[in-house]
């Protein structure tokens, strides 16, 4: 009987040990055999069919969450308690996340599809050698407008937005740098200006626009403009492209005083649990056919040169959404202005938001 009890205790201890080891393996940092992949992306920024295709192809289950600003995304990742394997910040946020040691270097040997990216989008100053980030989409900030609702008027500058005929007709994208940038650009200041007097001046200039501002909104801006609830929107280029396919009265212009050129890249945050899976997903998105499908679905511009061959000609040849380097060279890319300055941009934007309600 004693022997039986001993044997039972031995079996029990061995199985507990095995359970412990298995559990440790599953939760350890960077464990690549986990069967989930957690993606944190902008809203309306992927074709859902691609998620399904990736799940089938990789055998991984995707957990997908969205954010609506770089600031919200960074705060969430910094707070901890999340397990994002992939995030998609814009360039200045990538620079900031690198500085704050929030990113894991990317292993290019796991990305055989990387050479499909046009060299114009590689090796940019916010991430030389693309050590931490891989191009996803790119674009500009501009004005989408319905000229029929404006009595045939054409818009070409930020200054046009102050026209008295546009009363209560403008929707603004809910982004601190975009809206402050519009104020700065309309005064011919840089989008990266750090002179507090210039920033205050820009905010005061924006305050004078409030009679024309109908609302500051998120992704619903597309639906509102497409349904002609407002005649004008200050938007990211891809949002304009998507609705222009639905409503042909719309046009998109990059204002002549200047505007923003942006790049959204995929990164692996330090919170990642499935680093191998993250590389698999990046390589999947870099596949030209997948990149083209994604661009066609969401409306944003792909940096994937080979994907251009799979896009309908009317999309790939549209210079409003695939502007040549001659135009983009004249635009400004947001810089990481440091914690205090970025907080000041946010503060002024929030004040303007309150004022425009
Ligand atoms: C998509 C948002 C795109 C963000 N809804 C541009 N940086």
């Amino acid at each position: 009987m004693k022997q039986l009890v001993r044997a039972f205790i031995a079996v029990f201890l061995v199985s507990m040990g095995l359970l412990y080891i298995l559990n440790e393996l599953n939760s350890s940092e960077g464990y690549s055999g986990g069967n989930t992949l957690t993606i944190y992306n902008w809203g309306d920024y992927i074709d859902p069919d691609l998620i399904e295709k990736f799940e089938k192809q990789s055998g991984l289950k995707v957990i997908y969450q969205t954010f609506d600003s770089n600031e919200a995304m960074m705060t969430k990742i910094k707070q901890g308690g999340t397990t994002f394997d992939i995030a998609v910040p814009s360039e200045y946020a990538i620079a900031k996340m690198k500085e704050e040691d929030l990113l894991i270097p990317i292993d290019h040997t796991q990305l055989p599809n990387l050479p499909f990216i046009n060299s114009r989008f590689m090796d940019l100053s916010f991430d030389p050698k693309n050590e931490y980030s891989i191009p996803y989409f790119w674009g500009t900030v501009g004005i989408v407008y319905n000229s029929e609702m404006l009595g045939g008027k054409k818009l070409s500058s930020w200054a046009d937005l102050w026209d008295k005929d546009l009363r209560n007709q403008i929707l603004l994208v809910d982004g601190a740098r975009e809206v402050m940038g519009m104020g700065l650009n309309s005064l011919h200041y840089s989008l990266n200006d750090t002179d507090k007097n210039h920033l205050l001046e820009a905010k005061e200039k924006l305050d004078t626009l409030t009679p024309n501002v109908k609302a500051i909104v998120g992704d619903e801006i597309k639906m509102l403009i497409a349904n002609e609830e407002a005649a004008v929107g200050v938007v990211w280029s891809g949002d304009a492209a998507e609705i222009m396919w639905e409503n042909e009265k719309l046009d998109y212009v990059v204002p002549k005083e200047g505007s923003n050129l942006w790049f959204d890249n995929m990164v692996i945050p330090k919170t990642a649990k499935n680093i191998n899976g993250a590389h698999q997903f990046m390589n999947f998105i870099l596949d030209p056919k997948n990149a083209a499908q994604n661009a066609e679905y969401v409306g944003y511009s792909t940096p994937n040169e080979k994907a251009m061959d799979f896009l309908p000609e009317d999309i790939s040849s549209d210079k409003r959404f695939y502007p040549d380097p001659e135009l983009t060279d004249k635009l400004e890319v947001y810089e990481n202005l440091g914690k205090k300055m970025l907080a000041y941009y946010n503060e002024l934007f929030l004040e303007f938001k309150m004022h425009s309600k």
Side-chain angles (χ1 to χ4, degrees), residues 7-23:
F8 179 78
I9 291 175
V11 169
F12 178 77
L13 287 177
V14 168
S15 21
M16 288 312 283
L18 272 176
L19 271 178
Y20 176 78
I21 289 166
L22 277 176
N23 194 38

Side-chain angles (χ1 to χ4, degrees), residues 4 21 33 75 81 87 104 139 147 150 165 169 175 187 205 220 222 233 269 290 302 335-336 352:
L4 203 68
I21 289 166
T75 308
I104 291 175
S147 61
L150 296 177
D165 290 348
Q169 282 300 339
L187 293 167
K205 173 85 183 166
E220 62 273 31
K222 290 180 285 186
N290 293 339
T302 178
E335 283 162 22
N336 172 21
F352 167 68

Side-chain angles (χ1 to χ4, degrees), residues 83-331:
T83 56
F84 300 122
D85 298 305
I86 292 267
V88 191
S90 309
E91 66 303 299
Y92 75 97
I94 293 171
K96 190 162 187 269
M97 290 172 92
K98 266 166 55 176
E99 190 179 276
E100 295 178 2
D101 196 24
L102 294 174
L103 302 179
I104 291 175
I106 292 166
D107 176 6
H108 288 201
T109 64
Q110 291 190 54
L111 304 177
N113 291 331
L114 188 56
F116 292 123
I117 296 290
N118 184 327
S119 57
R120 178 179 169 199
F121 303 105
M122 295 291 290
D123 209 13
L124 298 176
S125 64
F126 58 89
D127 186 23
K129 301 208 175 83
N130 292 81
E131 217 182 323
Y132 293 94
S133 74
I134 300 296
Y136 185 72
F137 281 129
W138 68 284
T140 55
V141 170
I143 304 171
V144 62
Y145 66 98
N146 184 321
S147 61
E148 195 177 284
M149 285 175 78
L150 296 177
K153 226 175 237 170
K154 287 199 175 303
L155 305 182
S156 62
S157 69
W158 291 121
D160 289 341
L161 298 184
W162 273 261
D163 185 332
K164 281 202 280 305
D165 290 348
L166 266 59
R167 202 179 170 86
N168 210 26
Q169 282 300 339
I170 305 176
L171 295 173
L172 298 177
V173 58
D174 192 2
R177 292 210 65 174
E178 286 71 19
V179 174
M180 283 301 293
M182 181 176 85
L184 287 164
N185 270 166
S186 63
L187 293 167
H188 300 279
Y189 291 141
S190 162
L191 289 178
N192 296 308
D193 205 319
T194 53
D195 180 329
K196 285 199 163 184
N197 290 326
H198 291 173
L199 288 167
L200 267 180
E201 218 184 301
K203 145 81 169 69
E204 277 159 17
K205 173 85 183 166
L206 288 172
D207 285 341
T208 65
L209 186 67
T210 46
N212 288 359
V213 177
K214 188 175 174 115
I216 301 177
V217 280
D219 284 328
E220 62 273 31
I221 199 164
K222 290 180 285 186
M223 194 257 295
L224 294 170
I225 303 269
N227 293 345
E228 308 194 344
E229 303 274 344
V232 181
V234 172
V235 293
W236 290 299
S237 47
D239 283 0
E242 195 194 335
I243 52 177
M244 281 163 60
W245 298 335
E246 287 166 36
N247 184 335
E248 54 194 30
K249 296 174 207 155
L250 299 172
D251 200 358
Y252 176 76
V253 65
V254 175
K256 61 177 180 228
E257 297 95 329
S259 188
N260 166 236
L261 170 70
W262 54 263
F263 306 97
D264 287 347
N265 286 13
M266 297 178 276
V267 299
I268 308 181
K270 277 258 160 97
T271 54
K273 294 273 185 233
N274 191 348
I275 295 170
N276 276 355
H279 284 88
Q280 276 182 61
F281 179 78
M282 284 182 175
N283 199 50
F284 173 85
I285 289 293
L286 290 168
D287 176 289
K289 283 201 174 138
N290 293 339
Q293 180 179 333
N294 210 17
E296 199 175 343
Y297 182 91
V298 296
Y300 278 86
S301 310
T302 178
N304 191 309
E305 193 160 14
K306 184 73 190 150
M308 299 294 278
D309 295 343
F310 299 108
L311 281 175
E313 164 75 20
D314 56 337
I315 296 182
S316 59
S317 66
D318 192 333
K319 295 281 179 234
R320 291 169 301 185
F321 303 112
Y322 286 95
D324 292 326
E326 291 77 67
L327 172 82
T328 54
D329 284 353
K330 292 195 194 109
L331 302 178

